[in-house]
Amino acid sequence: MHPYLRFAAMIATSTIVMFGLMYLNVYALDHIFWSETRAYMALIMGAAMAIVMLAFMLGMYKNKAANLGIVLAAALVFAGALYLVRSQDTVEDVAWMKAMIPHHSIAILTSERATLTDPRVRQLADRIIDAQRREIDEMKTLIRELENPAGTPSASAS
């Protein structure tokens, strides 16, 4: 395989793996939803990794024009994905909730499993757990309603 194709495959594979790894700290599997925001974050990490890895392996990649192209493309992907993460321009109602459920799930996991000894902190963690569970349930209900408008049979009704 051509070295630059191998490099592209390595960066693409690593970016996809990083996207998946962002879900490892959810509390429950049913809290995993596609997230545009996480996809943009994976692109940010992949773009940064492309520049760093190219810099470390520059001796293996001799084509200066290709190297410059990789750096410029990675910088553009980084900037574009960072803009999309920070602006949330493409994230609408359902996409926002699908991104928030894993986020809330992480709060449940860390609040439930942390070794908390101060009763005030434990009480705060328990309130967070209760609130996050209620909000996840509410978001799941809203997602079902928005994805299956009135008059459209839902998948669970079939």
Side-chain angles (χ1 to χ4, degrees):
M1 181 184 274
H2 191 278
Y4 284 99
L5 290 177
R6 182 184 301 264
F7 184 82
M10 179 176 55
I11 297 301
T13 301
S14 298
T15 301
I16 292 166
V17 167
M18 285 185 282
F19 175 79
L21 291 174
M22 285 188 266
Y23 289 98
L24 287 180
N25 57 348
V26 297
Y27 181 75
L29 291 178
D30 68 327
H31 294 169
I32 296 174
F33 287 85
W34 166 257
S35 168
E36 284 180 51
T37 301
R38 280 180 169 71
Y40 301 146
M41 287 301 301
L43 288 172
I44 289 169
M45 291 184 280
M49 185 174 64
I51 294 170
V52 169
M53 290 181 77
L54 183 63
F56 271 95
M57 299 186 302
L58 204 51
M60 295 172 54
Y61 300 97
K62 306 287 187 194
N63 185 326
K64 290 182 181 181
N67 294 346
L68 180 60
I70 290 169
V71 170
L72 291 175
L76 284 172
V77 169
F78 183 94
L82 181 61
Y83 170 78
L84 291 169
V85 165
R86 300 290 303 170
S87 70
Q88 295 288 292
D89 278 352
T90 64
V91 179
E92 296 178 354
D93 297 345
V94 171
W96 177 80
M97 289 184 289
K98 287 182 176 182
M100 289 305 293
I101 289 173
H103 172 76
H104 281 43
S105 185
I106 293 165
I108 294 170
L109 179 101
T110 58
S111 297
E112 188 172 282
R113 297 191 180 159
T115 306
L116 306 175
T117 56
D118 186 295
R120 298 166 300 173
V121 176
R122 178 74 262 159
Q123 185 179 40
L124 174 61
D126 291 341
R127 287 195 316 266
I128 288 169
I129 292 166
D130 291 341
Q132 301 305 307
R133 285 189 171 137
R134 278 193 314 276
E135 290 173 6
I136 287 171
D137 289 343
E138 182 178 358
M139 286 186 278
K140 283 181 172 182
T141 299
L142 285 168
I143 289 168
R144 280 191 301 273
E145 290 174 5
L146 292 170
E147 287 183 337
N148 299 297
T152 305
S154 69
S156 61
S158 307

